[in-house]
Amino acid sequence: MRQFFLDHFEAISNEQYHNPRTGLRTYILTFPDGEARLELMQRPDTLDANPSKPNIGFIHVSYAVGSKEAVDAKTEELHNAGCQVTSGPRTTGDGYYENCILGPEGIQIEITV
């Protein structure tokens, strides 16, 4: 997951934090504009989780790239990298132009203006 965001969304990562007592491992990713951060966490008790099953709670992340042309270009890049495009291009009911892809671990990523 970390490498995906480094490769495709210009994220900058800190060094991995590891708590040997609990087994928790985390990375904090910061994006180029500095306005958003994403924390990726892994706990030993989730290593066997099935990402293809629906989950309650966090469902997707949206990443704004600035223009319709950039949305389409980023979607093509991710599709060529092996990501499944699940919808789009479309303009949503609330006016957002977007494409959606499935990223690592089955997370839905909306690429939007």
Side-chain angles (χ1 to χ4, degrees):
M1 182 69 83
R2 175 181 168 266
Q3 195 61 50
F4 175 81
F5 283 103
L6 295 176
D7 290 347
H8 299 289
F9 292 96
E10 301 174 34
I12 299 165
S13 179
N14 69 337
E15 293 295 318
Q16 183 185 72
Y17 165 76
H18 177 231
N19 183 326
R21 183 177 58 79
T22 64
L24 175 71
R25 295 176 185 273
T26 68
Y27 288 103
I28 303 290
L29 305 182
T30 305
F31 295 90
D33 64 7
E35 294 182 17
R37 293 187 307 169
L38 177 64
E39 181 176 14
L40 302 176
M41 301 173 73
Q42 182 182 57
R43 295 185 338 219
D45 61 338
T46 62
L47 293 178
D48 295 325
N50 184 344
S52 68
K53 292 186 177 178
N55 295 294
I56 296 173
F58 179 74
I59 302 299
H60 73 274
V61 63
S62 181
Y63 193 85
V65 294
S67 70
K68 287 183 175 182
E69 294 79 17
V71 169
D72 293 338
K74 179 59 71 176
T75 303
E76 183 176 351
E77 171 194 328
L78 294 168
H79 178 71
N80 290 340
C83 294
Q84 177 185 350
V85 177
T86 59
S87 69
R90 67 187 185 120
T91 301
T92 64
D94 50 0
Y96 287 97
Y97 180 79
E98 69 181 27
N99 287 315
C100 296
I101 61 107
L102 285 183
E105 301 176 10
I107 185 72
Q108 180 178 321
I109 300 172
E110 294 177 354
I111 311 301
T112 188
V113 175

